[in-house]
Amino acid sequence: EIPLRLVGSEMCIETGPIVPITINNSAAVLEDHFPKIRKAHVVVEYGRPIYINELAPENKKQLAPYVQQIISDTYFKNKEKYAELMAK
């Protein structure tokens, strides 16, 4: 698992929400077959916007782990939900 790094998170507080995006099975397009590109089923899910000014203080202090947990939960949910589709 690669740690999430939120660059400019201080700026997000003033400019708008963070939208967590989860991508499943993208490696099947190129990385699993390099140097060839293959057709694959890729699942992209946009999460609910996270408005930093509405978060609890403990989540504001630990923003990157908070967002990473949301993305991780969505990734594993989609991995299970679309396992049969992504195996093709």
Side-chain angles (χ1 to χ4, degrees):
E1 184 173 298
I2 299 171
L4 179 67
R5 186 167 164 242
L6 296 178
V7 178
S9 59
E10 297 82 18
M11 189 171 43
C12 292
I13 295 171
E14 299 172 10
T15 61
I18 294 172
V19 179
I21 301 172
T22 306
I23 302 172
N24 288 75
N25 206 37
S26 62
V29 175
L30 178 65
E31 293 171 20
D32 293 346
H33 316 285
F34 189 78
K36 297 182 180 187
I37 296 174
R38 302 278 170 109
K39 181 172 89 170
H41 292 278
V42 176
V43 178
V44 179
E45 182 172 332
Y46 296 87
R48 292 185 342 189
I50 301 168
Y51 294 92
I52 298 173
N53 58 351
E54 296 176 4
L55 289 177
E58 61 272 8
N59 291 334
K60 283 183 188 179
K61 290 179 184 174
Q62 297 295 319
L63 187 58
Y66 177 75
V67 175
Q68 184 169 4
Q69 187 61 50
I70 292 170
I71 293 171
S72 180
D73 292 346
T74 305
Y75 176 84
F76 288 108
K77 176 195 72 157
N78 288 343
K79 186 175 180 180
E80 183 178 316
K81 182 177 180 179
Y82 298 107
E84 187 175 315
L85 178 67
M86 290 188 286
K88 294 180 181 180

